[in-house]
Amino acid sequence: SKELSFSNTQGFMEPLLPPFRHPAGLCLHQPHEKSMDYLVEDFGHVCRHKLTKESKTAFFDIGATYNFINDEVEHSSPVIQVIEKYRKFGIHFDDIYAYELQNWDVDRVYKTIPDHMRKPLHWINTGVSTEHGNMFNPWTVVRENYKPEDFVVVKLDIDTPSVELPLVQQLLDDPRLRELVDVFYFEHHVHMDEMKPYWKMDGTMVYSLTYFRAMRNVGIAS
């Protein structure tokens, strides 16, 4: 049908259609607000054409709060949903780098994630930096620790466009970094009436289409 996007390394992806959320997620009284079931992720293609026995796997969670309410595992958390889905299809992450500005008690952090996330978790309880080479810029960690044959997944959602957008642009502008990042989940906080109560807004969905298309054009599933 040619409605899906395709990458030689990542396989098929869902079409880029606003609002880039579950189609029922913005409807009143619908249980899909955090659902990521609409995403098309070609795990079979990734396993056949990307991963090798020597590949390291890493998940970068930039904006990492797993449960705002209590000390229990919230399985509806988008990041936990994603990691569980990768595990279901045989991709287990060797390292999970979790960046979070809000100060959380470490005991609570480990109580609110599944058992299988505890060993690979690197809890980095500070804000990320956009400065090139800064130790708290996630791209510094990617460049210093991973190779093109590894599998690197990044999720960016810190509700601060002044930090998010420079990181996105750095990814697009750096040829070496583009070779290292395979999948990029990004909640782009553009102007949407339905989301006014929840986030700071900057730009329009035209910008979202521009960013996501640019990433797909260089082989990053986004």
Side-chain angles (χ1 to χ4, degrees), residues 41-213:
E41 291 154 314
D42 198 342
F43 295 106
H45 189 96
V46 170
C47 291
R48 290 190 299 270
H49 299 280
K50 172 65 182 180
L51 294 174
T52 69
K53 292 181 179 180
E54 289 75 34
S55 296
K56 295 191 293 184
T57 56
F59 191 101
F60 284 75
D61 185 6
I62 308 172
T65 297
Y66 304 110
N67 190 333
F68 290 94
I69 301 171
N70 54 44
D71 291 346
E72 299 178 0
V73 177
E74 184 182 357
H75 289 283
S76 64
S77 163
V79 167
I80 293 177
Q81 284 187 60
V82 169
I83 291 176
E84 295 281 9
K85 186 185 292 187
Y86 278 92
R87 283 176 57 84
K88 178 180 177 180
F89 288 94
I91 301 174
H92 297 212
F93 291 105
D94 301 315
D95 294 285
I96 300 172
Y97 298 87
Y99 296 82
E100 174 56 47
L101 175 62
Q102 185 171 343
N103 188 30
W104 287 105
D105 181 78
V106 176
D107 287 342
R108 180 178 183 186
V109 172
Y110 279 84
K111 288 177 181 177
T112 57
I113 59 176
D115 291 345
H116 61 78
M117 287 179 60
R118 291 173 182 152
K119 184 177 179 180
L121 183 70
H122 304 270
W123 177 247
I124 306 165
N125 202 179
T126 187
V128 297
S129 171
T130 60
E131 179 185 356
H132 286 275
N134 188 287
M135 64 184 295
F136 295 121
N137 184 323
W139 304 142
T140 302
V141 180
V142 173
R143 290 190 196 93
E144 292 179 351
N145 293 277
Y146 297 98
K147 301 176 181 179
E149 57 265 32
D150 297 325
F151 185 66
V152 175
V153 179
V154 178
K155 167 245 157 182
L156 174 61
D157 181 14
I158 55 177
D159 298 347
T160 308
S162 61
V163 177
E164 292 172 327
L165 298 185
L167 290 175
V168 172
Q169 198 61 53
Q170 288 170 21
L171 172 59
L172 289 172
D173 290 344
D174 188 332
R176 180 164 176 257
L177 197 55
R178 296 198 304 259
E179 288 185 331
L180 301 177
V181 175
D182 297 282
V183 183
F184 189 71
Y185 297 98
F186 175 37
E187 185 168 66
H188 190 196
H189 298 97
V190 296
H191 287 275
M192 294 174 58
D193 288 342
E194 297 85 351
M195 302 305 293
K196 282 182 179 178
Y198 307 110
W199 64 29
K200 299 175 184 177
M201 300 184 178
D202 182 61
T204 69
M205 288 186 188
V206 173
Y207 293 101
S208 299
L209 286 166
T210 300
Y211 283 130
F212 291 131
R213 182 179 180 184

